[in-house]
Amino acid sequence: GQQVMQIPQYQHVQEGEDFTTYCNSSTTLSNIQWYKQRPGGHPVFLIQLVKSGEVKKQKRLTFQFGEAKKNSSLHITATQTTDVGTYFCAGPGNTDKLIFGTGTRLQVFP
Amino acid sequence: NAGVTQTPKFQVLKTGQSMTLQCAQDMNHNSMYWYRQDPGMGLRLIYYSASEGTTDKGEVPNGYNVSRLNKREFSLRLESAAPSQTSVYFCASSPGLGPDEQYFGPGTRLTVT
């Protein structure tokens, strides 16, 4: 069945370093969404990308949708301790319901 | 505006016991979802409801039943709990009928012994 994979699974960085997580789908996606889940919390919607090659920024976060609409990335510039959490991508599956990626857990050391 | 609320926050069950997880949203959303999240894993869809009166199976529906009581409320029932159902359960809602952004509740942490 359709799969959405993310790499890396874990990432530990020093505060101030950059961080990138990659999302890859086995099929073409009509859109890609990104969510953040703080430790012990619930997923919170961050952004949705729809167009091929689209790039969107939210302060230190940069989101990109691949040209083939099968991959996406989230880049955080100069990480802060508040960035700690797990980042999930999600895309519509065959039944038009979201399929969530496996997530990347980010740990930031002060 | 509370968003999506879930009760209870924590629950411990013995194998074979039953329980119902409650979820309500006050955003007038059409679609509602139940997910489970196991340690270190992503979210897996159990059941969803695209509108009041309709429900459909997701990826992992076995052992669960759901009821879309009205537009606001979507409950998840475990008829005979098993240790494999130990997980964190999240309810979510979205405005439309398709793959819109989803708004999640705080979760229910369930342990089955």
Side-chain angles (χ1 to χ4, degrees):
Chain A
Q2 183 178 1
Q3 289 188 319
V4 178
M5 304 297 293
Q6 284 182 252
I7 54 169
Q9 190 175 5
Y10 302 99
Q11 184 82 56
H12 298 169
V13 300
Q14 204 74 31
E15 190 172 22
E17 291 181 337
D18 291 358
F19 159 78
T20 304
T21 174
Y22 299 91
C23 175
N24 295 289
S25 170
S26 56
T27 60
T28 302
L29 300 170
S30 59
N31 69 70
I32 190 87
Q33 299 176 21
W34 284 92
Y35 292 78
K36 176 184 178 181
Q37 184 177 23
R38 295 182 187 274
H42 59 276
V44 175
F45 173 77
L46 293 177
I47 206 162
Q48 177 174 282
L49 305 172
V50 178
K51 298 177 186 174
S52 169
E54 188 171 11
V55 177
K56 286 188 176 180
K57 292 191 176 185
Q58 290 180 349
K59 297 182 180 178
R60 295 178 295 104
L61 277 62
T62 301
F63 303 85
Q64 187 164 5
F65 201 7
E67 294 290 341
K69 301 183 79 173
K70 293 181 72 174
N71 57 74
S72 181
S73 65
L74 159 59
H75 179 82
I76 302 179
T77 304
T79 55
Q80 300 175 358
T81 54
T82 53
D83 295 325
V84 164
T86 300
Y87 293 85
F88 292 99
C89 62
N94 297 333
T95 58
D96 210 28
K97 298 308 163 191
L98 283 182
I99 295 178
F100 282 81
T102 45
T104 296
R105 187 189 300 178
L106 172 64
Q107 182 63 264
V108 180
F109 295 107
Chain B
N1 192 338
V4 180
T5 57
Q6 291 183 238
T7 56
K9 284 188 170 53
F10 301 94
Q11 184 72 49
V12 179
L13 291 177
K14 290 186 179 354
T15 297
Q17 287 185 319
S18 63
M19 79 161 295
T20 300
L21 281 63
Q22 306 286 354
C23 174
Q25 52 91 10
D26 62 2
M27 297 175 283
N28 201 35
H29 285 175
N30 286 306
S31 299
M32 297 185 74
Y33 311 84
W34 277 105
Y35 292 91
R36 61 176 289 172
Q37 184 175 42
D38 299 302
M41 295 184 67
L43 295 150
R44 292 186 292 170
L45 183 64
I46 304 171
Y47 270 93
Y48 63 95
S49 170
S51 61
E52 184 181 348
T54 67
T55 61
D56 284 291
K57 295 178 181 180
E59 182 187 353
V60 288
N62 291 344
Y64 306 95
N65 285 301
V66 290
S67 294
R68 182 76 182 267
L69 304 169
N70 46 56
K71 193 169 186 179
R72 289 187 63 247
E73 298 170 290
F74 190 37
S75 62
L76 178 72
R77 182 159 178 85
L78 287 71
E79 290 291 351
S80 179
S84 61
Q85 294 178 304
T86 293
S87 189
V88 180
Y89 291 84
F90 289 103
C91 177
S93 69
S94 63
L97 305 178
D100 299 335
E101 69 270 21
Q102 295 187 8
Y103 297 82
F104 285 79
T108 294
R109 194 171 297 271
L110 175 68
T111 302
V112 183
T113 61

